[in-house]
């Protein structure tokens, strides 16, 4: 299992870590755990981790990154982080379903 680490002071940059978590779940089908300031959040706690982000408008570079992942424009850091946590859970569920279908064939 992969563990991502965030050591920054600006919680807005935690969004980059969540984006990486979604990419990992898309590739591997497993949610990574994330360490923030010495506290480790399990992969299933990504929504809890999203609550750590401030409720500010997205900076341009973050808005551009998430625009690649979502059809609709995202509204703020915290809301976007929750959407990323949901996307990670969807990736895990889709991967499990694919594996179950492959076993039946």
């Amino acid at each position: 299992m992969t563990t991502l680490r965030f050591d920054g002071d600006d919680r807005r940059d935690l969004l980059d870590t969540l984006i990486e978590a979604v990419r990992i779940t898309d590739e591997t089908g497993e949610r990574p755990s994330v360490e923030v300031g010495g506290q480790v959040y399990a992969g299933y706690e990504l929504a809890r981790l999203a609550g750590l982000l401030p409720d500010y408008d997205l900076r341009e570079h973050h808005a551009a990154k998430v625009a690649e992942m979502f059809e609709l424009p995202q509204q703020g850091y915290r809301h976007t982080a929750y959407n990323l946590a949901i996307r990670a859970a969807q990736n895990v569920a889709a991967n499990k379903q694919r594996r179950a279908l492959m076993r039946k064939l």
Side-chain angles (χ1 to χ4, degrees):
M1 178 181 264
T2 307
T3 300
L4 301 174
R5 178 170 288 140
F6 175 78
D7 292 325
D9 293 328
D10 189 354
R11 293 286 169 106
R12 291 178 290 194
D13 292 331
L14 184 57
L15 191 72
D16 293 321
T17 306
L18 286 169
I19 291 169
E20 183 63 24
V22 170
R23 288 188 179 135
I24 289 172
T25 58
D26 192 32
E27 293 170 7
T28 66
E30 294 184 11
R31 288 178 280 196
S33 57
V34 179
E35 182 180 341
V36 178
Q39 183 174 354
V40 178
Y41 293 85
Y44 60 85
E45 293 181 303
L46 292 180
R48 184 172 164 211
L49 183 65
L52 297 177
L53 276 89
D55 201 18
Y56 302 146
D57 290 337
L58 291 172
R59 293 179 185 160
E60 287 183 28
H61 69 281
H62 284 139
K65 285 182 182 180
V66 297
E68 298 171 3
M69 304 174 84
F70 297 104
E71 289 180 21
L72 298 174
Q74 296 299 298
Q75 306 293 320
Y77 279 93
R78 189 174 299 150
H79 183 78
T80 302
Y82 282 119
N83 288 342
L84 288 168
I86 291 167
R87 177 68 57 95
Q90 289 170 340
N91 288 346
V92 170
N95 191 295
K96 284 182 182 180
Q97 188 177 24
R98 264 192 307 267
R99 281 188 272 158
L101 288 172
M102 293 302 287
R103 276 187 243 137
K104 289 182 181 180
L105 297 179

